[in-house]
Amino acid sequence: MEKKSQKLSFHKDITFLGFQTLDIDQRYIRYRHTESEKNIKNPTVVLQQQIFSIQALLKMAGFHVGTLFQNRDFQAGGFYWTPNTKELNIALFGLKEKELYDFLMQFSTRIEYLSVMPDMQYRPSNLDPSLMRSRDFKLISAAMSIFRDWEFWKLNLTTMVTGRSPGIEDLFSDGPHLGTYAYEIGEPQLEQEQTIGLESTLEHRTKVSSIKLTAFQNYSPNYHLSSKMGDCPEALNWSPTLGISHPCAGEDFIAWGSGTGWLYKYQIEGVRALIYGFESTVE
């Protein structure tokens, strides 16, 4: 694994349309990693990417507004057939705070555009070539929070409508992940993930202790989940033998690397999901 990164930060106190500070962050990341089979000279998986991003943020009392530009260039090699792909992300976001009686109200929103552009000359192994096309996603997210402080108590209520656009790996993956013994397959027609969330936190504090209770519930009609495509109990007692094929080769299993190993196929899909939970902290 190899990673090189560069970061430049700029801060200035300003007087412009009521804004008081300007922050600019620029980053560049160059990343590469390989996955190899034992006693095999050439890597089975080669993944690398270059990411350039720049973000600007303007702040005044009770109000922040910012913008983001990010360009990602992805390449794969070895037995990993995911196409070389470019990803462009542009976003505009903001946050507003306002006191109302004894409550602090906080509103936030984000508008995002994502373009995923695969190499059109690519011929995948497990994906339909006719589905290999550029995908564009437009996403709007918003959240509202209410905060209330008493002498020993603190209450926070949050509701949000948010989402996530599928990236390169979600759409066009076609290759092994040896660390999890999985062969990962994307879904080129995957739509963006959407989530409606509710969260509440109640905290009690004294000079010597604190107790925090949190409950949350998230509903998504299109939650992105990678699922195993089949099952093969016969594989538990199978070993490579000349002239005898794998009992589950085909739909569920796939050969990889030197040809003597087999991996389950996992494919990403959008499913309806309800995620809820409860957390507690005592200090």
Side-chain angles (χ1 to χ4, degrees), residues 181 235 238 240 244-250 253-256 259-264:
Y181 298 102
W238 178 83
I244 301 178
S245 62
H246 193 282
C248 300
F253 269 74
I254 191 168
W256 56 278
T260 59
W262 295 82
L263 298 174
Y264 272 115

Side-chain angles (χ1 to χ4, degrees), residues 130-282:
S130 65
L131 301 178
M132 304 302 296
R133 58 184 177 88
S134 296
R135 298 290 308 275
D136 297 322
F137 301 94
K138 303 176 183 66
L139 186 67
I140 299 178
S141 300
M144 182 181 72
S145 297
I146 301 174
F147 302 88
R148 177 71 162 89
D149 277 354
W150 293 272
E151 184 177 2
F152 300 109
W153 294 90
K154 184 177 181 180
L155 175 67
N156 170 221
L157 302 173
T158 299
T159 180
M160 68 188 76
V161 179
T162 184
R164 187 179 73 88
S165 298
I168 296 171
E169 294 83 358
D170 301 322
L171 296 169
F172 305 124
S173 278
D174 189 1
H177 184 187
L178 303 187
T180 58
Y181 298 102
Y183 191 97
E184 299 175 344
I185 302 174
E187 172 51 77
Q189 300 187 90
L190 192 67
E191 297 299 331
Q192 65 188 24
E193 186 177 277
Q194 297 173 326
T195 301
I196 301 171
L198 297 171
E199 181 176 311
S200 61
T201 299
L202 181 64
E203 183 177 0
H204 181 264
R205 296 164 298 179
T206 67
K207 292 182 179 180
V208 296
S209 66
S210 70
I211 301 175
K212 182 186 291 186
L213 306 175
T214 301
F216 62 90
Q217 177 172 291
N218 298 318
Y219 168 73
S220 175
N222 192 44
Y223 184 72
H224 295 170
L225 183 68
S226 185
S227 302
K228 189 166 63 173
M229 297 176 66
D231 205 355
C232 183
E234 298 90 339
L236 296 176
N237 300 317
W238 178 83
S239 60
T241 304
L242 185 64
I244 301 178
S245 62
H246 193 282
C248 300
E251 292 299 321
D252 303 337
F253 269 74
I254 191 168
W256 56 278
S258 59
T260 59
W262 295 82
L263 298 174
Y264 272 115
K265 291 181 180 180
Y266 280 74
Q267 184 167 36
I268 195 164
E269 59 181 335
V271 298
R272 189 172 61 178
L274 179 65
I275 302 173
Y276 56 91
F278 175 80
E279 299 174 0
S280 62
T281 303
V282 179

Side-chain angles (χ1 to χ4, degrees), residues 45-49 74-85 174:
V45 175
V46 179
L47 295 176
Q48 56 187 8
Q49 62 180 355
F74 173 91
Q75 306 95 35
F79 292 98
Y80 204 90
W81 311 117
T82 302
N84 295 342
T85 307
D174 189 1

Side-chain angles (χ1 to χ4, degrees), residues 23-38:
D23 291 285
I24 300 176
D25 287 311
Q26 175 268 318
R27 302 188 183 199
Y28 177 77
I29 298 173
R30 187 180 184 90
Y31 174 83
R32 183 180 190 272
H33 92 250
T34 61
E35 299 177 10
S36 301
E37 302 173 64
K38 186 177 180 180

